[in-house]
Amino acid sequence: MESFSNTPFPPVIFLMGPTAAGKTDLAVNLVENHQCDIVSVDSALIYRGMDIGTAKPDAAVLQQAPHRLIDLVDPAESYSVARFRQDALNEIRAIHEQGRIPLLAGGTMLYYKALLEGLADNLPEADESLRQQLSQELADQGLPNLARKLVALDQSVEGRIHLENPQRVLRALEVFLVSGKSITWFWDAQSEAKAQAVSQSEAASEQVPSPHNFPFRTVQIAVAPVDRKLLHKRIEMRFHQMLDQGFQQEVEQLMARGDLHLDLPSMRCVGYRQMWSHLEGSLSYEAMVEKGIIATRQLAKRQLTWLRGWQNVHWFDSLDPNLPDQVSKLLADQALLC
């Protein structure tokens, strides 16, 4: 088996799309018929013991097509974008060493963005004592109060930071309190520096891949039903399937641990917050189902919004029965011999 280790810009496939679009089925087909290995790009699948509500591939699928970067951390732990980027790069290199092609499959668009563009390396270093103080404020006051505090201090974060994500809010507050500058100021400064570097690189070379952030030749594929109503129907059907498979019992077991709460990133995964609220008595079963489906639709909408602004994406109808053949033809046309 030939290694890609000495190949300039070895190939990587991105398989993106909204939740419930059918990415896993296509990824498994590509593994079965081509020399591909799957790397999960999903911020929910990283958690152990969260299987049903995250639509994690079952044991039979994982035996058929192993997924890297799933079941990495306990739900009480955090997992940063920076850690994902490093873990994914390590897996990509390991797959190339085996002479196979990494197939990065999932819907966490921020992870893909971090891979392609890198991360801001000009941010101030973490202040542990300040982080502990802010974490205590989060526990005492709740996330909405901290988000309001952040916006009051730094209005530039509105629309640029997901204010329902505790990790993002804590880090943005920390950066502002340490430096006196918005986290968005650092992002913009880094983007400008990178744009200048890329411009200089393109002027000096006609090579398309950029070695600065992601030194691989990438074929980017997006799959979704052409009709949005069909996607909504698939989301609703899958949520009910999760309930039939024991989703409530899964969340009951997580609650019984005693060390988890709704401000943790793991418990903010779609469906889990709604089920948790139902089990606490603040939502009826019917309201939990409705809100869980709505939250999943909103996630799919955000994923599609990201993808519509993405560059160099090959779109496919995920419900086309000829989808695997169409994607295989694209990969052949792109000279990816997987």
Side-chain angles (χ1 to χ4, degrees), residues 157-174:
V157 301
E158 285 194 286
R160 298 188 66 182
I161 284 183
H162 186 23
L163 293 175
E164 294 185 354
N165 186 311
Q167 288 179 295
R168 307 279 183 272
V169 172
L170 287 176
R171 182 57 175 148
L173 272 170
E174 183 182 34

Side-chain angles (χ1 to χ4, degrees), residues 224-240:
V226 173
D227 186 343
R228 180 74 65 85
K229 293 180 181 178
L230 293 177
L231 178 61
H232 288 175
K233 184 177 180 180
R234 288 174 62 90
I235 287 171
E236 182 176 355
M237 289 177 58
R238 191 172 74 173
F239 196 84
H240 284 287

Side-chain angles (χ1 to χ4, degrees), residues 171-187:
R171 182 57 175 148
L173 272 170
E174 183 182 34
V175 168
F176 187 88
L177 294 173
V178 167
S179 69
K181 295 179 180 178
S182 170
I183 194 170
T184 62
W185 183 91
F186 290 96
W187 290 346

Side-chain angles (χ1 to χ4, degrees), residues 124-172:
E125 293 184 5
D127 184 312
E128 187 59 34
S129 61
L130 178 58
R131 173 60 63 93
Q132 290 179 358
Q133 175 188 331
L134 292 172
S135 296
Q136 188 61 50
E137 288 184 29
L138 174 64
D140 294 341
Q141 303 174 21
L143 181 61
N145 285 329
L146 248 66
R148 284 193 290 271
K149 177 179 179 179
L150 173 61
V151 173
L153 288 170
D154 179 12
Q155 293 183 357
S156 71
V157 301
E158 285 194 286
R160 298 188 66 182
I161 284 183
H162 186 23
L163 293 175
E164 294 185 354
N165 186 311
Q167 288 179 295
R168 307 279 183 272
V169 172
L170 287 176
R171 182 57 175 148

Side-chain angles (χ1 to χ4, degrees), residues 17-20 42-44 107-109 162 231 235 238 268-271 292-306:
T19 186
D42 190 308
S43 60
T108 301
M109 302 309 301
H162 186 23
L231 178 61
I235 287 171
R238 191 172 74 173
R268 301 192 71 83
C269 293
V270 292
I293 292 171
I294 289 172
T296 311
R297 288 178 178 175
Q298 291 171 339
L299 170 62
K301 182 179 179 181
R302 292 194 298 271
Q303 291 167 321
L304 286 168
T305 299
W306 270 85

Side-chain angles (χ1 to χ4, degrees), residues 5 10 16 53 69 86 89 91 109 129 179 224 227 254 283 296 314:
S5 58
M16 306 175 288
L69 299 190
Q86 189 57 58
L89 289 173
E91 296 294 351
M109 302 309 301
S129 61
S179 69
D227 186 343
L254 292 168
L283 278 182
T296 311
H314 302 273

Side-chain angles (χ1 to χ4, degrees), residues 12 22 26 43 50 74 83 92 112 141-142 154 177 256 283 335:
V12 172
L26 177 58
S43 60
M50 295 175 58
D74 184 86
R83 181 174 167 187
I92 288 169
Y112 288 110
Q141 303 174 21
D154 179 12
L177 294 173
L283 278 182

